Amino acid sequence: MEGFDQIVALSQNNINMSLKHLFLNNPNIYQNLKIDVTDEGTMTAVMNPPTVELIVENEEHKVYFFLNFKSGTFEYWNGHGPNSTKDSLSMDGWVFAFKVNLLLSELDKIPDSVNSRIDKNLVDNPDSYSVSQLLLDFQTADLAEYDQEKSKLIGLTPGLEVKQKTYLLMYLTDYIESLKTGSHGILGYAITVKKPELANLTASSFPPTSLKFQIYPYLSGGDANAPKIPGSGYNMLLFLQMTGGRKIPADILNWSGNWIAPSPPSNLMMAGTMAICKQNFWDGLLLPVLEDINKLTVQGANAIFIDAMSLNPSDPDLQLHDFSWKSSNKGSLTFDYTKSKEKKYFGGSEKAENSIDNQILWTAGSPVIKISGNANIKISTEEDPTSSFGSVLFESKTANIDWNFTLTLSSVNDGSLTVNASEPQVTASSSHELAPTNLFGITFSSGFDKATIELQNNLESKIDIDNITKTIKNTLNGQNKFVFPGGGTFSMKNPLFNDESDLLVELTYNQE
């Protein structure tokens, strides 16, 4: 993700579909337009939903925004004084196009005149990707500029085009001024959470604290050399975000592949993709929880170890404070622990050894995390043959358990990630060994030994994988639940990991 903490990719198609829905169902957005300019004339129109077009060639921080006229009339006075006449033009099918600069969309750079009108409830709310916030306010010339080439003015009178366009721009200025009184959001200006601590209980786990936009092309076949297609509905608007107040990278994202896949006809509302970096999801949330697996298995094995050797539980040599997972190969983490103690006494010695080997595995394109481990404890005694009077020279009792379970990132409800856990599989075994004596040459069997079976049962009891699994599941669905940003705006599904272990989820707009 090239240093960004979170990336949201939204397709042009879905932005426009959602703008349409919002336009038709929100009374705060102007569907009927009437502008009177004293002594000059009137513009009356019925509007179609506004639209956006991503990818402005050679200007990767700009988009086109279109005001679309369904029908209308532009009446104006031609001439001056008593000889002036009232002319009219049909505005049916007209389009006013604006080029919008997104470079000013970082909160810290908002002009004071704009900042004073931002709805602070939106700024303090982590659900910050609302389509209503993607409607333009046109507050200043710095935000948007009229684009005559992209505009569509049908039926201008030959020979009077310049004059008529002058009048039109005058009226358009009044229309823009009228929008200032509405409740429209300003494009991009309410995307981040300036004060995450003010967010409600469903606040995202890592609320974004800084943002920049990028227009990102959809390239056919995922080929980096394919040409850009201006106007393609699959072109993307990227929200490039940082969390925790970290500094945002100076550069934009290099093209590395399409962030969304073309939607089949049955899935027209596919909006795009949200990506959460590995550092946030794994290192910041998941692994601290999964460290409990290492802690509980070590503590369980050590409890037997301490009892078998009559050790002091507060012995500094038995204290472990680092239960962190270590990176192994790509898609793999490991944790290893070994401990041994030996006590010598007249005629022999007693030794105890234990080991813990835990592992986490996952693969790109899957939501499944495989967690497994092995716990082993061995207790042995060795006699000096000169003092054993023909007794056993060596005896060992070994207990072993192999276990595994899976965590599956299954669904997202209101932005909250649900994690399912499989029933753990546990295989326990034990062995008992007796060495022959040197004095009489008698060989003892290594068969059933009650003390060895008790050791195995004790190990299973002390390392309770069923309880560990339930604890991890409850923690990840409770106090350490992961909450995506934008949960009130998007429906989210199909969470999975990419090649870099970042968490991806598909987005679909909840219509406002």
Side-chain angles (χ1 to χ4, degrees), residues 371 373 402-406 422-427 465-466 469:
I371 304 174
D402 292 293
W403 57 267
N404 68 82
F405 67 91
T406 61
S422 68
E423 289 294 325
Q425 303 295 313
V426 180
T427 302
I465 299 302
D466 282 334
T469 303

PDB file of all heavy atoms in Angstrom, residues 371 373 402-406 422-427 465-466 469:
ATOM      1  N   ILE A 371      -4.446 -21.763  12.760  1.00  0.00           N
ATOM      2  CA  ILE A 371      -3.615 -21.657  13.951  1.00  0.00           C
ATOM      3  C   ILE A 371      -3.402 -23.063  14.504  1.00  0.00           C
ATOM      4  O   ILE A 371      -4.359 -23.827  14.677  1.00  0.00           O
ATOM      5  CB  ILE A 371      -4.273 -20.760  15.012  1.00  0.00           C
ATOM      6  CG1 ILE A 371      -4.585 -19.374  14.401  1.00  0.00           C
ATOM      7  CG2 ILE A 371      -3.383 -20.611  16.233  1.00  0.00           C
ATOM      8  CD1 ILE A 371      -5.352 -18.465  15.324  1.00  0.00           C
ATOM      9  N   GLY A 373      -0.541 -25.801  16.959  1.00  0.00           N
ATOM     10  CA  GLY A 373       0.547 -25.825  17.925  1.00  0.00           C
ATOM     11  C   GLY A 373       0.851 -27.220  18.421  1.00  0.00           C
ATOM     12  O   GLY A 373       0.081 -28.171  18.209  1.00  0.00           O
ATOM     13  N   ASP A 402      -0.996 -32.202  20.052  1.00  0.00           N
ATOM     14  CA  ASP A 402      -1.036 -31.418  18.819  1.00  0.00           C
ATOM     15  C   ASP A 402      -2.451 -30.873  18.672  1.00  0.00           C
ATOM     16  O   ASP A 402      -3.431 -31.613  18.882  1.00  0.00           O
ATOM     17  CB  ASP A 402      -0.692 -32.286  17.603  1.00  0.00           C
ATOM     18  CG  ASP A 402       0.757 -32.730  17.597  1.00  0.00           C
ATOM     19  OD1 ASP A 402       1.628 -31.856  17.439  1.00  0.00           O
ATOM     20  OD2 ASP A 402       1.001 -33.942  17.771  1.00  0.00           O
ATOM     21  N   TRP A 403      -2.545 -29.614  18.328  1.00  0.00           N
ATOM     22  CA  TRP A 403      -3.865 -28.999  18.248  1.00  0.00           C
ATOM     23  C   TRP A 403      -3.928 -28.027  17.075  1.00  0.00           C
ATOM     24  O   TRP A 403      -2.907 -27.552  16.570  1.00  0.00           O
ATOM     25  CB  TRP A 403      -4.210 -28.264  19.551  1.00  0.00           C
ATOM     26  CG  TRP A 403      -3.186 -27.202  19.922  1.00  0.00           C
ATOM     27  CD1 TRP A 403      -2.104 -27.352  20.734  1.00  0.00           C
ATOM     28  CD2 TRP A 403      -3.149 -25.844  19.465  1.00  0.00           C
ATOM     29  NE1 TRP A 403      -1.384 -26.192  20.824  1.00  0.00           N
ATOM     30  CE2 TRP A 403      -2.008 -25.236  20.048  1.00  0.00           C
ATOM     31  CE3 TRP A 403      -3.959 -25.077  18.647  1.00  0.00           C
ATOM     32  CZ2 TRP A 403      -1.666 -23.918  19.821  1.00  0.00           C
ATOM     33  CZ3 TRP A 403      -3.628 -23.746  18.409  1.00  0.00           C
ATOM     34  CH2 TRP A 403      -2.492 -23.185  19.004  1.00  0.00           C
ATOM     35  N   ASN A 404      -5.132 -27.730  16.638  1.00  0.00           N
ATOM     36  CA  ASN A 404      -5.323 -26.718  15.594  1.00  0.00           C
ATOM     37  C   ASN A 404      -6.774 -26.252  15.568  1.00  0.00           C
ATOM     38  O   ASN A 404      -7.680 -26.990  15.976  1.00  0.00           O
ATOM     39  CB  ASN A 404      -4.920 -27.259  14.213  1.00  0.00           C
ATOM     40  CG  ASN A 404      -5.841 -28.345  13.717  1.00  0.00           C
ATOM     41  OD1 ASN A 404      -6.913 -28.073  13.165  1.00  0.00           O
ATOM     42  ND2 ASN A 404      -5.438 -29.612  13.917  1.00  0.00           N
ATOM     43  N   PHE A 405      -6.959 -25.039  15.127  1.00  0.00           N
ATOM     44  CA  PHE A 405      -8.294 -24.508  14.839  1.00  0.00           C
ATOM     45  C   PHE A 405      -8.134 -23.392  13.825  1.00  0.00           C
ATOM     46  O   PHE A 405      -7.009 -22.950  13.520  1.00  0.00           O
ATOM     47  CB  PHE A 405      -9.007 -24.017  16.113  1.00  0.00           C
ATOM     48  CG  PHE A 405      -8.382 -22.811  16.769  1.00  0.00           C
ATOM     49  CD1 PHE A 405      -8.782 -21.522  16.453  1.00  0.00           C
ATOM     50  CD2 PHE A 405      -7.393 -22.977  17.741  1.00  0.00           C
ATOM     51  CE1 PHE A 405      -8.219 -20.415  17.071  1.00  0.00           C
ATOM     52  CE2 PHE A 405      -6.817 -21.880  18.369  1.00  0.00           C
ATOM     53  CZ  PHE A 405      -7.233 -20.600  18.028  1.00  0.00           C
ATOM     54  N   THR A 406      -9.222 -22.959  13.234  1.00  0.00           N
ATOM     55  CA  THR A 406      -9.167 -21.880  12.232  1.00  0.00           C
ATOM     56  C   THR A 406     -10.043 -20.714  12.664  1.00  0.00           C
ATOM     57  O   THR A 406     -11.070 -20.891  13.326  1.00  0.00           O
ATOM     58  CB  THR A 406      -9.635 -22.369  10.846  1.00  0.00           C
ATOM     59  OG1 THR A 406     -10.999 -22.803  10.935  1.00  0.00           O
ATOM     60  CG2 THR A 406      -8.770 -23.498  10.335  1.00  0.00           C
ATOM     61  N   SER A 422     -13.459 -22.355  14.282  1.00  0.00           N
ATOM     62  CA  SER A 422     -13.832 -23.752  14.136  1.00  0.00           C
ATOM     63  C   SER A 422     -13.673 -24.481  15.470  1.00  0.00           C
ATOM     64  O   SER A 422     -13.025 -23.990  16.397  1.00  0.00           O
ATOM     65  CB  SER A 422     -12.959 -24.427  13.082  1.00  0.00           C
ATOM     66  OG  SER A 422     -11.614 -24.521  13.546  1.00  0.00           O
ATOM     67  N   GLU A 423     -14.287 -25.662  15.569  1.00  0.00           N
ATOM     68  CA  GLU A 423     -14.052 -26.505  16.737  1.00  0.00           C
ATOM     69  C   GLU A 423     -12.585 -26.957  16.718  1.00  0.00           C
ATOM     70  O   GLU A 423     -12.096 -27.454  15.713  1.00  0.00           O
ATOM     71  CB  GLU A 423     -14.966 -27.720  16.703  1.00  0.00           C
ATOM     72  CG  GLU A 423     -16.430 -27.411  16.964  1.00  0.00           C
ATOM     73  CD  GLU A 423     -16.672 -26.918  18.384  1.00  0.00           C
ATOM     74  OE1 GLU A 423     -15.971 -27.406  19.307  1.00  0.00           O
ATOM     75  OE2 GLU A 423     -17.540 -26.035  18.565  1.00  0.00           O
ATOM     76  N   PRO A 424     -11.888 -26.785  17.812  1.00  0.00           N
ATOM     77  CA  PRO A 424     -10.465 -27.183  17.819  1.00  0.00           C
ATOM     78  C   PRO A 424     -10.305 -28.698  17.737  1.00  0.00           C
ATOM     79  O   PRO A 424     -11.119 -29.460  18.262  1.00  0.00           O
ATOM     80  CB  PRO A 424      -9.957 -26.638  19.151  1.00  0.00           C
ATOM     81  CG  PRO A 424     -11.172 -26.510  20.008  1.00  0.00           C
ATOM     82  CD  PRO A 424     -12.310 -26.198  19.090  1.00  0.00           C
ATOM     83  N   GLN A 425      -9.263 -29.084  17.050  1.00  0.00           N
ATOM     84  CA  GLN A 425      -8.895 -30.488  16.954  1.00  0.00           C
ATOM     85  C   GLN A 425      -7.672 -30.719  17.837  1.00  0.00           C
ATOM     86  O   GLN A 425      -6.654 -30.036  17.691  1.00  0.00           O
ATOM     87  CB  GLN A 425      -8.583 -30.865  15.504  1.00  0.00           C
ATOM     88  CG  GLN A 425      -9.719 -30.583  14.525  1.00  0.00           C
ATOM     89  CD  GLN A 425     -10.937 -31.423  14.808  1.00  0.00           C
ATOM     90  OE1 GLN A 425     -10.843 -32.633  15.003  1.00  0.00           O
ATOM     91  NE2 GLN A 425     -12.111 -30.784  14.834  1.00  0.00           N
ATOM     92  N   VAL A 426      -7.769 -31.692  18.756  1.00  0.00           N
ATOM     93  CA  VAL A 426      -6.683 -31.952  19.694  1.00  0.00           C
ATOM     94  C   VAL A 426      -6.330 -33.437  19.649  1.00  0.00           C
ATOM     95  O   VAL A 426      -7.214 -34.298  19.762  1.00  0.00           O
ATOM     96  CB  VAL A 426      -7.078 -31.552  21.132  1.00  0.00           C
ATOM     97  CG1 VAL A 426      -5.919 -31.836  22.090  1.00  0.00           C
ATOM     98  CG2 VAL A 426      -7.473 -30.085  21.197  1.00  0.00           C
ATOM     99  N   THR A 427      -5.072 -33.737  19.470  1.00  0.00           N
ATOM    100  CA  THR A 427      -4.581 -35.115  19.501  1.00  0.00           C
ATOM    101  C   THR A 427      -3.539 -35.224  20.606  1.00  0.00           C
ATOM    102  O   THR A 427      -2.516 -34.526  20.583  1.00  0.00           O
ATOM    103  CB  THR A 427      -3.948 -35.518  18.162  1.00  0.00           C
ATOM    104  OG1 THR A 427      -4.914 -35.366  17.116  1.00  0.00           O
ATOM    105  CG2 THR A 427      -3.484 -36.954  18.197  1.00  0.00           C
ATOM    106  N   ILE A 465      -7.285 -26.163  25.064  1.00  0.00           N
ATOM    107  CA  ILE A 465      -7.429 -25.543  23.744  1.00  0.00           C
ATOM    108  C   ILE A 465      -8.873 -25.117  23.486  1.00  0.00           C
ATOM    109  O   ILE A 465      -9.122 -24.092  22.842  1.00  0.00           O
ATOM    110  CB  ILE A 465      -6.944 -26.509  22.647  1.00  0.00           C
ATOM    111  CG1 ILE A 465      -5.452 -26.832  22.860  1.00  0.00           C
ATOM    112  CG2 ILE A 465      -7.138 -25.894  21.257  1.00  0.00           C
ATOM    113  CD1 ILE A 465      -4.548 -25.626  22.869  1.00  0.00           C
ATOM    114  N   ASP A 466      -9.842 -25.879  23.973  1.00  0.00           N
ATOM    115  CA  ASP A 466     -11.247 -25.475  23.811  1.00  0.00           C
ATOM    116  C   ASP A 466     -11.485 -24.100  24.420  1.00  0.00           C
ATOM    117  O   ASP A 466     -12.090 -23.215  23.798  1.00  0.00           O
ATOM    118  CB  ASP A 466     -12.176 -26.494  24.484  1.00  0.00           C
ATOM    119  CG  ASP A 466     -12.371 -27.742  23.645  1.00  0.00           C
ATOM    120  OD1 ASP A 466     -12.234 -27.650  22.414  1.00  0.00           O
ATOM    121  OD2 ASP A 466     -12.663 -28.808  24.219  1.00  0.00           O
ATOM    122  N   THR A 469      -9.620 -21.313  22.468  1.00  0.00           N
ATOM    123  CA  THR A 469     -10.320 -20.963  21.224  1.00  0.00           C
ATOM    124  C   THR A 469     -11.512 -20.063  21.503  1.00  0.00           C
ATOM    125  O   THR A 469     -11.730 -19.057  20.812  1.00  0.00           O
ATOM    126  CB  THR A 469     -10.784 -22.244  20.503  1.00  0.00           C
ATOM    127  OG1 THR A 469      -9.661 -23.085  20.253  1.00  0.00           O
ATOM    128  CG2 THR A 469     -11.447 -21.904  19.182  1.00  0.00           C
TER     129      THR A 469
END
